[in-house]
């Protein structure tokens, strides 16, 4: 059975944690990955990896000696991620709010970039804030945080938390999406 059908079935059953019914389009993934300099990135974090749609694109662009930490809480999606045969991929079946703990486990205090497909707008406010705190604390100053969303709801909060924040509209995604490109903690 195709990845898209499996994704849809899992999304229907767990919409609040999956956040969408369809994979991000190629155009949306391209917008999310555009700011990343893959030639210099040694360590990248992915939040809300799903069944690997964005993960596979990240791995295709990453250097051979780099690391990708992919956070996903859905056990079926984690099984699909573990089937990706790439030693650079570390699947973390845990909440993104524990980023610091896992970075420490891999001998890091910062990550070069964070790519996220988390459904921020449906997360409980304390969890939402904790995740953003972790991003602000552990994203390298030069690094980018890219976030796909289906509304402008998070715009104000992201603008407050980052020195730079750009909004890219992706009409050829189902549903149409917004990609936030953020850099530099404002705190």
């Amino acid at each position: 059975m195709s990845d898209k059908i499996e994704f849809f079935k899992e999304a229907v059953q767990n919409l609040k944690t999956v956040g969408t019914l369809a994979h991000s389009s190629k155009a949306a993934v391209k917008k999310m990955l555009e700011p990343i300099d893959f030639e210099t990135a040694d360590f990248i974090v992915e939040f809300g990896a799903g069944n690997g749609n964005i993960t596979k694109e990240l791995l295709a662009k990453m250097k051979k000696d780099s690391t990708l930490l992919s956070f996903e809480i859905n056990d079926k999606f984690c099984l699909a991620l573990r089937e990706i045969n790439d030693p650079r991929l570390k699947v973390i079946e845990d909440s993104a709010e524990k980023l610091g703990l896992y970075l420490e486990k891999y001998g890091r205090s910062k990550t070069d970039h964070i790519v996220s497909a988390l459904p921020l707008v449906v997360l409980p406010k304390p969890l939402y804030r904790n995740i953003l705190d972790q991003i602000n604390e552990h994203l390298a100053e030069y690094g980018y945080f890219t976030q796909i969303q289906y509304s402008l709801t998070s715009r104000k909060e992201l603008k407050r938390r980052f020195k730079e924040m750009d909004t890219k509209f992706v009409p050829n995604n189902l549903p149409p999406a917004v990609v936030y490109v953020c850099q530099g903690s404002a705190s």
Side-chain angles (χ1 to χ4, degrees):
M1 198 165 280
S2 88
D3 283 351
K4 289 180 181 180
I5 293 170
E6 286 301 316
F7 185 91
F8 178 78
K9 285 170 46 180
E10 196 60 28
V12 168
Q13 292 175 9
N14 299 288
L15 191 56
K16 282 197 171 187
T17 57
V18 175
T20 185
L21 295 174
H23 282 164
S24 299
S25 69
K26 287 184 188 288
V29 174
K30 182 179 178 186
K31 287 272 188 228
M32 291 179 75
L33 305 187
E34 252 175 10
I36 298 174
D37 180 356
F38 287 96
E39 290 181 20
T40 61
D42 293 318
F43 204 94
I44 298 174
V45 170
E46 177 185 26
F47 290 156
N51 65 351
N53 184 46
I54 298 169
T55 311
K56 291 172 189 169
E57 288 298 315
L58 281 162
L59 290 166
K61 293 177 176 289
M62 289 170 59
K63 300 183 303 185
K64 293 196 183 307
D65 63 343
S66 55
T67 301
L68 175 61
L69 231 59
S70 291
F71 284 76
E72 177 55 56
I73 60 169
N74 180 295
D75 57 342
K76 288 185 182 172
F77 286 159
C78 285
L79 286 173
L81 290 167
R82 288 187 180 100
E83 290 178 5
I84 299 171
N85 189 20
D86 193 314
R88 298 170 298 168
L89 175 61
K90 312 301 180 205
V91 178
I92 308 298
E93 195 167 350
D94 209 343
S95 172
E97 71 180 326
K98 295 182 182 171
L99 173 62
L101 177 79
Y102 287 98
L103 285 174
E104 188 177 309
K105 182 178 175 183
Y106 286 94
R108 309 274 307 198
S109 62
K110 300 280 185 184
T111 182
D112 294 315
H113 304 285
I114 299 172
V115 176
S116 175
L118 290 176
L120 294 179
V121 297
V122 298
L123 296 178
K125 289 286 184 221
L127 176 60
Y128 172 67
R129 287 188 196 105
N130 287 343
I131 290 170
L132 290 178
D133 288 345
Q134 286 290 297
I135 293 166
N136 284 141
E137 184 177 342
H138 297 292
L139 180 65
E141 188 64 27
Y142 57 82
Y144 287 97
F145 166 57
T146 60
Q147 171 70 52
I148 189 165
Q149 294 282 219
Y150 305 102
S151 74
L152 295 171
T153 309
S154 298
R155 190 172 197 279
K156 186 177 178 181
E157 181 66 16
L158 293 175
K159 201 167 186 70
R160 186 180 72 73
R161 286 180 172 263
F162 293 92
K163 288 179 188 171
E164 295 179 35
M165 197 272 298
D166 193 13
T167 308
K168 313 248 184 221
F169 182 61
V170 187
N172 48 347
N173 191 72
L174 184 63
V178 173
V179 172
Y180 295 109
V181 178
C182 307
Q183 189 177 37
S185 177
S187 55

PDB file of all heavy atoms in Angstrom, residues 32-49:
ATOM      1  N   MET A  32      10.385  24.739   2.568  1.00  0.00           N
ATOM      2  CA  MET A  32      10.866  24.478   3.925  1.00  0.00           C
ATOM      3  C   MET A  32      12.383  24.274   3.968  1.00  0.00           C
ATOM      4  O   MET A  32      13.033  24.654   4.934  1.00  0.00           O
ATOM      5  CB  MET A  32      10.173  23.244   4.504  1.00  0.00           C
ATOM      6  CG  MET A  32       8.701  23.461   4.786  1.00  0.00           C
ATOM      7  SD  MET A  32       7.933  21.980   5.435  1.00  0.00           S
ATOM      8  CE  MET A  32       8.568  21.998   7.110  1.00  0.00           C
ATOM      9  N   LEU A  33      12.925  23.678   2.928  1.00  0.00           N
ATOM     10  CA  LEU A  33      14.347  23.339   2.924  1.00  0.00           C
ATOM     11  C   LEU A  33      15.228  24.388   2.248  1.00  0.00           C
ATOM     12  O   LEU A  33      16.454  24.357   2.401  1.00  0.00           O
ATOM     13  CB  LEU A  33      14.553  21.974   2.262  1.00  0.00           C
ATOM     14  CG  LEU A  33      13.759  20.805   2.848  1.00  0.00           C
ATOM     15  CD1 LEU A  33      14.183  19.499   2.203  1.00  0.00           C
ATOM     16  CD2 LEU A  33      13.878  20.735   4.356  1.00  0.00           C
ATOM     17  N   GLU A  34      14.617  25.323   1.515  1.00  0.00           N
ATOM     18  CA  GLU A  34      15.361  26.358   0.772  1.00  0.00           C
ATOM     19  C   GLU A  34      16.442  27.086   1.567  1.00  0.00           C
ATOM     20  O   GLU A  34      17.554  27.255   1.079  1.00  0.00           O
ATOM     21  CB  GLU A  34      14.381  27.399   0.210  1.00  0.00           C
ATOM     22  CG  GLU A  34      14.196  27.341  -1.251  1.00  0.00           C
ATOM     23  CD  GLU A  34      13.119  28.323  -1.717  1.00  0.00           C
ATOM     24  OE1 GLU A  34      12.646  29.171  -0.925  1.00  0.00           O
ATOM     25  OE2 GLU A  34      12.758  28.214  -2.880  1.00  0.00           O
ATOM     26  N   PRO A  35      16.159  27.537   2.779  1.00  0.00           N
ATOM     27  CA  PRO A  35      17.174  28.339   3.478  1.00  0.00           C
ATOM     28  C   PRO A  35      18.367  27.541   4.014  1.00  0.00           C
ATOM     29  O   PRO A  35      19.385  28.118   4.378  1.00  0.00           O
ATOM     30  CB  PRO A  35      16.399  28.982   4.629  1.00  0.00           C
ATOM     31  CG  PRO A  35      15.217  28.113   4.844  1.00  0.00           C
ATOM     32  CD  PRO A  35      14.905  27.491   3.515  1.00  0.00           C
ATOM     33  N   ILE A  36      18.268  26.238   4.050  1.00  0.00           N
ATOM     34  CA  ILE A  36      19.307  25.414   4.673  1.00  0.00           C
ATOM     35  C   ILE A  36      20.507  25.247   3.747  1.00  0.00           C
ATOM     36  O   ILE A  36      20.361  24.851   2.591  1.00  0.00           O
ATOM     37  CB  ILE A  36      18.749  24.029   5.069  1.00  0.00           C
ATOM     38  CG1 ILE A  36      17.639  24.194   6.106  1.00  0.00           C
ATOM     39  CG2 ILE A  36      19.857  23.119   5.587  1.00  0.00           C
ATOM     40  CD1 ILE A  36      16.914  22.903   6.450  1.00  0.00           C
ATOM     41  N   ASP A  37      21.685  25.544   4.262  1.00  0.00           N
ATOM     42  CA  ASP A  37      22.940  25.285   3.542  1.00  0.00           C
ATOM     43  C   ASP A  37      23.382  23.873   3.920  1.00  0.00           C
ATOM     44  O   ASP A  37      24.002  23.664   4.963  1.00  0.00           O
ATOM     45  CB  ASP A  37      23.997  26.314   3.924  1.00  0.00           C
ATOM     46  CG  ASP A  37      25.318  26.096   3.199  1.00  0.00           C
ATOM     47  OD1 ASP A  37      25.450  25.098   2.460  1.00  0.00           O
ATOM     48  OD2 ASP A  37      26.228  26.927   3.383  1.00  0.00           O
ATOM     49  N   PHE A  38      23.058  22.918   3.085  1.00  0.00           N
ATOM     50  CA  PHE A  38      23.334  21.512   3.389  1.00  0.00           C
ATOM     51  C   PHE A  38      24.820  21.178   3.347  1.00  0.00           C
ATOM     52  O   PHE A  38      25.241  20.184   3.925  1.00  0.00           O
ATOM     53  CB  PHE A  38      22.539  20.593   2.457  1.00  0.00           C
ATOM     54  CG  PHE A  38      21.073  20.558   2.786  1.00  0.00           C
ATOM     55  CD1 PHE A  38      20.172  21.368   2.109  1.00  0.00           C
ATOM     56  CD2 PHE A  38      20.589  19.735   3.786  1.00  0.00           C
ATOM     57  CE1 PHE A  38      18.826  21.345   2.423  1.00  0.00           C
ATOM     58  CE2 PHE A  38      19.246  19.699   4.110  1.00  0.00           C
ATOM     59  CZ  PHE A  38      18.365  20.511   3.424  1.00  0.00           C
ATOM     60  N   GLU A  39      25.613  22.018   2.691  1.00  0.00           N
ATOM     61  CA  GLU A  39      27.058  21.767   2.637  1.00  0.00           C
ATOM     62  C   GLU A  39      27.730  22.022   3.984  1.00  0.00           C
ATOM     63  O   GLU A  39      28.776  21.452   4.266  1.00  0.00           O
ATOM     64  CB  GLU A  39      27.702  22.620   1.543  1.00  0.00           C
ATOM     65  CG  GLU A  39      27.326  22.167   0.148  1.00  0.00           C
ATOM     66  CD  GLU A  39      27.975  23.005  -0.937  1.00  0.00           C
ATOM     67  OE1 GLU A  39      28.993  23.674  -0.663  1.00  0.00           O
ATOM     68  OE2 GLU A  39      27.454  22.981  -2.064  1.00  0.00           O
ATOM     69  N   THR A  40      27.136  22.877   4.806  1.00  0.00           N
ATOM     70  CA  THR A  40      27.742  23.191   6.107  1.00  0.00           C
ATOM     71  C   THR A  40      26.979  22.601   7.290  1.00  0.00           C
ATOM     72  O   THR A  40      27.504  22.582   8.400  1.00  0.00           O
ATOM     73  CB  THR A  40      27.852  24.721   6.304  1.00  0.00           C
ATOM     74  OG1 THR A  40      26.532  25.287   6.283  1.00  0.00           O
ATOM     75  CG2 THR A  40      28.712  25.359   5.225  1.00  0.00           C
ATOM     76  N   ALA A  41      25.770  22.123   7.055  1.00  0.00           N
ATOM     77  CA  ALA A  41      24.941  21.603   8.151  1.00  0.00           C
ATOM     78  C   ALA A  41      25.420  20.221   8.582  1.00  0.00           C
ATOM     79  O   ALA A  41      25.445  19.287   7.787  1.00  0.00           O
ATOM     80  CB  ALA A  41      23.475  21.548   7.731  1.00  0.00           C
ATOM     81  N   ASP A  42      25.793  20.113   9.858  1.00  0.00           N
ATOM     82  CA  ASP A  42      26.233  18.835  10.417  1.00  0.00           C
ATOM     83  C   ASP A  42      25.129  18.126  11.190  1.00  0.00           C
ATOM     84  O   ASP A  42      25.140  16.906  11.312  1.00  0.00           O
ATOM     85  CB  ASP A  42      27.414  19.053  11.375  1.00  0.00           C
ATOM     86  CG  ASP A  42      28.651  19.523  10.657  1.00  0.00           C
ATOM     87  OD1 ASP A  42      28.944  18.987   9.573  1.00  0.00           O
ATOM     88  OD2 ASP A  42      29.327  20.426  11.183  1.00  0.00           O
ATOM     89  N   PHE A  43      24.182  18.914  11.729  1.00  0.00           N
ATOM     90  CA  PHE A  43      23.171  18.343  12.624  1.00  0.00           C
ATOM     91  C   PHE A  43      21.846  19.063  12.380  1.00  0.00           C
ATOM     92  O   PHE A  43      21.740  20.270  12.580  1.00  0.00           O
ATOM     93  CB  PHE A  43      23.622  18.525  14.074  1.00  0.00           C
ATOM     94  CG  PHE A  43      23.031  17.536  15.027  1.00  0.00           C
ATOM     95  CD1 PHE A  43      23.709  16.375  15.351  1.00  0.00           C
ATOM     96  CD2 PHE A  43      21.799  17.761  15.615  1.00  0.00           C
ATOM     97  CE1 PHE A  43      23.175  15.449  16.246  1.00  0.00           C
ATOM     98  CE2 PHE A  43      21.249  16.854  16.503  1.00  0.00           C
ATOM     99  CZ  PHE A  43      21.946  15.695  16.823  1.00  0.00           C
ATOM    100  N   ILE A  44      20.844  18.315  11.951  1.00  0.00           N
ATOM    101  CA  ILE A  44      19.526  18.880  11.658  1.00  0.00           C
ATOM    102  C   ILE A  44      18.488  18.125  12.480  1.00  0.00           C
ATOM    103  O   ILE A  44      18.593  16.908  12.672  1.00  0.00           O
ATOM    104  CB  ILE A  44      19.193  18.783  10.152  1.00  0.00           C
ATOM    105  CG1 ILE A  44      20.217  19.599   9.342  1.00  0.00           C
ATOM    106  CG2 ILE A  44      17.772  19.262   9.858  1.00  0.00           C
ATOM    107  CD1 ILE A  44      20.078  19.477   7.836  1.00  0.00           C
ATOM    108  N   VAL A  45      17.484  18.851  12.951  1.00  0.00           N
ATOM    109  CA  VAL A  45      16.388  18.259  13.718  1.00  0.00           C
ATOM    110  C   VAL A  45      15.103  18.437  12.925  1.00  0.00           C
ATOM    111  O   VAL A  45      14.868  19.485  12.320  1.00  0.00           O
ATOM    112  CB  VAL A  45      16.260  18.925  15.107  1.00  0.00           C
ATOM    113  CG1 VAL A  45      14.988  18.494  15.811  1.00  0.00           C
ATOM    114  CG2 VAL A  45      17.480  18.604  15.967  1.00  0.00           C
ATOM    115  N   GLU A  46      14.278  17.397  12.942  1.00  0.00           N
ATOM    116  CA  GLU A  46      12.966  17.437  12.304  1.00  0.00           C
ATOM    117  C   GLU A  46      11.910  17.133  13.368  1.00  0.00           C
ATOM    118  O   GLU A  46      12.032  16.158  14.103  1.00  0.00           O
ATOM    119  CB  GLU A  46      12.912  16.388  11.187  1.00  0.00           C
ATOM    120  CG  GLU A  46      11.574  16.293  10.503  1.00  0.00           C
ATOM    121  CD  GLU A  46      11.507  15.156   9.487  1.00  0.00           C
ATOM    122  OE1 GLU A  46      12.262  14.158   9.629  1.00  0.00           O
ATOM    123  OE2 GLU A  46      10.680  15.252   8.575  1.00  0.00           O
ATOM    124  N   PHE A  47      10.894  17.969  13.443  1.00  0.00           N
ATOM    125  CA  PHE A  47       9.767  17.754  14.347  1.00  0.00           C
ATOM    126  C   PHE A  47       8.555  17.331  13.525  1.00  0.00           C
ATOM    127  O   PHE A  47       8.261  17.937  12.496  1.00  0.00           O
ATOM    128  CB  PHE A  47       9.400  19.033  15.098  1.00  0.00           C
ATOM    129  CG  PHE A  47      10.381  19.499  16.128  1.00  0.00           C
ATOM    130  CD1 PHE A  47      10.412  20.843  16.497  1.00  0.00           C
ATOM    131  CD2 PHE A  47      11.274  18.640  16.752  1.00  0.00           C
ATOM    132  CE1 PHE A  47      11.298  21.301  17.466  1.00  0.00           C
ATOM    133  CE2 PHE A  47      12.164  19.088  17.710  1.00  0.00           C
ATOM    134  CZ  PHE A  47      12.177  20.423  18.068  1.00  0.00           C
ATOM    135  N   GLY A  48       7.825  16.326  14.005  1.00  0.00           N
ATOM    136  CA  GLY A  48       6.629  15.878  13.297  1.00  0.00           C
ATOM    137  C   GLY A  48       6.980  15.231  11.973  1.00  0.00           C
ATOM    138  O   GLY A  48       6.474  15.613  10.924  1.00  0.00           O
ATOM    139  N   ALA A  49       7.844  14.226  12.039  1.00  0.00           N
ATOM    140  CA  ALA A  49       8.378  13.596  10.821  1.00  0.00           C
ATOM    141  C   ALA A  49       7.341  12.794  10.039  1.00  0.00           C
ATOM    142  O   ALA A  49       7.555  12.499   8.869  1.00  0.00           O
ATOM    143  CB  ALA A  49       9.563  12.700  11.189  1.00  0.00           C
TER     144      ALA A  49
END
